[in-house]
């Protein structure tokens, strides 16, 4: 039996699939998606269904491929036959977006991956991964399931480890790709990671407003720059 997909749709226009970070819960993204919905059909994917009544239920260790294949099924459900869609993936969602591009480039017009923590791409990646995990775990643990479970708890227990060890499975973009990082992240490991991935994969590199949580802290400016980036990619490919 095929597992149920969890996603929300708003707005009208070209399809834009949004893949949130953390454990995939779209918390805090309302202002961003509302702004984008004036220009796109925004499809917000919730891979674990945490915002759709599944928070607190058992969650196995997550695989990047499962998130990207789920995203592909969402696109198949919302796109017209032969159509393509845009994708914004941020943080762990950015990792899944890169994997989606590697697996299903024919359904994608352009992918923007914002600060995907593929830190093992760096020469000192093993050390950077250990430090990143230590920093996040230092913010405190919360339950991943049962009463009191939180999306952050699910992220720490089931997503953080396997996702930060992931490397993109292609060496040149099979479709349009932009790596993004926040202006506020300059000098930090995820900014360096995004720049390194852009060079390695041959994609563009664009700095967005704010830092790692720019989608939440600067939703209107982030949405406007994202729109410009996607429109520019459409003009370039025309």
């Amino acid at each position: 039996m095929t597992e149920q997909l969890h996603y929300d749709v708003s707005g009208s226009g070209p399809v834009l699939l949004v893949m949130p970070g953390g454990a995939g819960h779209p918390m805090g993204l309302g202002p961003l998606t509302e702004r984008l919905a004036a220009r796109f059909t925004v499809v917000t994917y919730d891979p674990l269904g945490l915002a759709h009544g599944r928070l607190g239920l058992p969650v196995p260790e997550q695989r990047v491929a499962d998130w990207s294949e789920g995203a592909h099924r969402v696109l198949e459900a919302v796109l017209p036959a032969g159509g393509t869609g845009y994708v914004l993936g941020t943080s762990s969602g950015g990792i899944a977006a890169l994997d989606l591009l590697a697996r299903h480039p024919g359904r994608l017009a352009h992918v923007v991956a914002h600060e995907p923590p593929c830190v093992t791409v760096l020469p000192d990646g093993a050390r950077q991964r250990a430090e990143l995990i230590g920093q996040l775990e230092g913010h405190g643990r919360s339950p991943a399931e049962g009463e009191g479970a939180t999306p952050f708890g699910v992220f720490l227990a089931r997503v953080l480890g396997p996702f930060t060890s992931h490397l993109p499975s292609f060496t040149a973009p099979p479709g349009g790709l932009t790596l993004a990082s926040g202006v506020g992240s300059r000098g930090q490991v995820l900014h360096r990671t995004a720049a390194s991935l852009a060079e390695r994969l041959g994609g563009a590199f664009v700095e967005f407003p704010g830092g790692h949580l720019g989608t939440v802290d600067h939703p209107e400016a982030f949405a406007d720059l994202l729109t410009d980036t996607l429109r520019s990619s459409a003009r370039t490919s025309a």
Side-chain angles (χ1 to χ4, degrees), residues 5-218:
L5 295 172
H6 301 279
Y7 61 94
D8 296 295
V9 181
S10 61
S12 61
V15 169
L16 169 60
L17 178 68
V18 175
M19 303 179 70
H25 193 300
M27 64 175 64
L29 294 185
L32 175 76
T33 56
E34 182 178 353
R35 181 81 165 188
L36 290 170
R39 303 145 182 174
F40 300 94
T41 298
V42 180
V43 182
T44 306
Y45 179 39
D46 176 9
L48 300 180
L50 300 184
H52 292 80
R54 295 190 57 81
L55 182 61
L57 298 179
V59 177
E61 183 169 272
Q62 293 299 289
R63 298 172 62 246
V64 173
D66 290 340
W67 283 31
S68 64
E69 287 302 320
H72 177 243
R73 289 172 54 211
V74 171
L75 286 175
E76 290 293 307
V78 301
L79 284 173
T84 60
Y86 297 114
V87 178
L88 166 67
T90 184
S91 193
S92 51
I95 295 177
L98 292 174
D99 196 59
L100 176 63
L101 179 60
R103 293 171 182 271
H104 302 286
R107 288 302 245 168
L108 307 180
H110 199 90
V111 170
V112 175
H114 179 257
E115 298 204 1
C118 305
V119 293
T120 54
V121 73
L122 300 172
D124 57 344
R127 179 177 64 83
Q128 294 292 352
R129 178 173 179 266
E131 290 182 0
L132 179 63
I133 290 175
Q135 290 169 4
L136 289 170
E137 290 181 341
H139 287 291
R141 286 190 172 273
S142 57
E145 58 186 67
E147 186 176 355
T150 68
F152 187 64
V154 176
F155 169 66
L156 287 180
R158 306 289 188 259
V159 179
L160 177 60
F163 273 56
T164 53
S165 65
H166 179 80
L167 281 175
S169 59
F170 54 96
T171 55
L177 173 63
T178 295
L179 273 300
S181 184
V183 173
S185 296
R186 288 176 182 171
Q188 299 176 16
V189 65
L190 294 185
H191 189 282
R192 187 156 61 98
T193 299
S196 179
L197 282 168
E199 182 177 359
R200 173 173 173 160
L201 302 178
F205 177 72
V206 175
E207 288 189 321
F208 273 68
H212 191 61
L213 297 179
T215 53
V216 175
D217 295 335
H218 303 278

